Amino acid sequence: MCLAVPGRVVAIAERDGVPMAEVDFGGVRKDVCLQYLPDTRVGEYVIVHVGFALQRLDEQSALETLATIARMGLLAEEFGGGPGPSARDAQTEGVNR
């Protein structure tokens, strides 16, 4: 199954003229294309599908969605083994920031 998953942008760089980001999905980091959202900033949350950031969203919505996906067992399926910290851990971390 291929989901659109929210993640937090931790770094942005241009590669071959294309804006790219390193995005953290509750402990798993992936490279993501920002071509559709070139004004995205580090620290923002984006919804990612097949390697492309498609939409920005607020932190609370992102963490709630990650927690729901994790409870359904789909996060591990999407990332082939699953992320390190759970979405619940990410949600707690967000509160402590």
Side-chain angles (χ1 to χ4, degrees), residues 11-58:
I12 296 175
E14 193 169 296
R15 242 184 271 151
D16 298 322
V18 177
M20 298 291 292
E22 181 179 349
V23 178
D24 185 314
F25 301 94
V28 173
R29 291 186 178 196
K30 300 279 185 179
D31 288 332
V32 171
C33 180
L34 294 177
Q35 192 69 42
Y36 299 129
L37 299 172
D39 57 340
T40 299
R41 297 176 188 247
V42 170
E44 290 185 312
Y45 283 82
V46 293
I47 293 182
V48 177
H49 181 65
V50 294
F52 288 87
L54 301 176
Q55 178 180 339
R56 274 185 292 282
L57 72 161
D58 64 275

